[in-house]
């Protein structure tokens, strides 16, 4: 499995350069999500120091650098989940499945998340941010969402290819204790997460939303 350490030297480059350098077979919107997640807010004056996560190229997912590697079945599951999330969002003319219609921008796309074993159920959102090394969001306000997704995103989904036949609802049904939350800073960006527990550990989706 190919992994890349997401240090500042990589993330400071433009999205097109990163996409080419890492040979990411995805739209640049996924790379912009990586950059926004690990970039400090304009309201934060001090430099951000964090333990960079790793990027799992095969599944377009991020994982803490100190977590056991995701089993192959989890890697395959995350690849399907990310693909289904991106295709569902695209078919409804929005950027992110996790952010849904709440976001005013379509410049960010969903990526996968692998957390491994731990206590990451509802009301443990700060632990998720800390585990992922997201110190740029340490002071963010947590909004716990009632639903796992915008219901209208699963209605009349267009099936344009065999890949789009993956039903994201069924993929999410295989996870236990699923919950979705937004982390809001003082700028216009908010981080979006949808996580649940598989037999191997916690995993899910992440993205960025924009609200003026």
């Amino acid at each position: 499995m190919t992994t890349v350490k997401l240090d500042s030297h990589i993330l400071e480059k433009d999205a097109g350069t990163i996409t080419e350098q890492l040979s990411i077979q995805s739209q640049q919107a996924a790379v912009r999500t990586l950059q926004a997640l690990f970039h400090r807010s304009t309201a934060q004056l001090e430099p951000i120091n964090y333990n960079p996560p790793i990027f799992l190229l095969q599944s377009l997912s991020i994982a803490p650098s100190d977590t056991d590697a995701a089993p192959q079945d989890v890697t395959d599951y995350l690849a399907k989940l990310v693909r289904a999330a991106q295709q569902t969002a695209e078919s409804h003319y929005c950027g992110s499945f996790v952010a849904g219609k709440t976001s005013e921008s379509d410049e960010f796309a969903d990526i996968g998340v692998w957390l491994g074993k731990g206590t990451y159920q509802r009301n443990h959102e700060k632990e998720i941010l800390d585990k992922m090394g997201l110190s740029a969001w340490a002071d963010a306000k947590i909004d716990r969402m009632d639903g796992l997704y915008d219901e209208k995103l699963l209605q009349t989904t267009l099936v344009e290819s065999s890949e789009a036949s993956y039903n994201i609802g069924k993929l999410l049904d295989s996870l236990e204790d699923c919950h979705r939350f937004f982390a809001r800073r003082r700028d216009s960006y908010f981080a979006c997460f949808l996580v649940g527990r598989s037999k191997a550990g916690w995993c899910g989706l992440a993205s960025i939303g924009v609200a003026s």
Side-chain angles (χ1 to χ4, degrees), residues 18 33 49 53 56 62 74 94 96 99 109 142 173 181 191:
I18 297 174
T33 295
N49 298 309
L56 313 175
I62 51 175
V74 172
C94 62
S96 163
I142 302 299
D173 284 345
F181 68 94

Side-chain angles (χ1 to χ4, degrees), residues 43-138:
Q44 296 166 317
L45 300 180
E46 297 298 323
I48 293 297
N49 298 309
Y50 64 91
N51 183 22
I54 57 175
F55 184 60
L56 313 175
L57 287 171
Q58 184 179 346
S59 59
L60 288 178
S61 302
I62 51 175
S65 57
D66 59 351
T67 294
D68 291 338
Q72 186 59 49
D73 60 336
V74 172
T75 299
D76 294 341
Y77 170 82
L78 283 173
K80 293 177 182 178
L81 185 65
V82 170
R83 191 159 57 238
Q86 292 181 353
Q87 291 172 343
T88 301
E90 289 170 3
S91 70
H92 287 81
Y93 307 102
C94 62
S96 163
F97 174 80
V98 182
K101 298 292 186 179
T102 306
S103 178
E104 299 172 7
S105 171
D106 61 357
E107 63 180 311
F108 300 102
D110 301 293
I111 59 173
V113 172
W114 165 246
L115 292 163
K117 300 289 187 179
T119 305
Y120 303 119
Q121 58 264 44
R122 195 175 181 86
N123 298 318
H124 291 270
E125 293 81 7
K126 289 289 188 179
E127 285 90 332
I128 294 174
L129 299 179
D130 181 64
K131 181 66 174 179
M132 295 305 304
L134 291 167
S135 56
W137 302 85

Side-chain angles (χ1 to χ4, degrees), residues 14 26 30 36 43 80 84 114-115 130 139 144 177 189:
D14 67 87
S26 177
K80 293 177 182 178
W114 165 246
L115 292 163
D130 181 64
D139 298 325
R144 300 178 181 93
D177 300 320
Y189 296 98

Side-chain angles (χ1 to χ4, degrees), residues 6-23:
L6 290 175
D7 58 35
S8 58
H9 298 294
I10 292 178
L11 295 175
E12 287 173 354
K13 300 176 182 178
D14 67 87
T17 300
I18 297 174
T19 302
E20 182 177 353
Q21 181 177 333
L22 300 184
S23 299

Side-chain angles (χ1 to χ4, degrees), residues 179-210:
H179 62 108
R180 181 171 65 130
F181 68 94
F182 295 165
R184 300 182 185 274
R185 301 189 303 202
R186 285 179 287 175
D187 57 16
S188 59
Y189 296 98
F190 58 94
C192 316
F193 295 88
L194 194 170
V195 298
R197 181 166 50 86
S198 70
K199 292 181 180 179
W202 290 82
C203 60
L205 296 165
S207 189
I208 292 288
V210 178

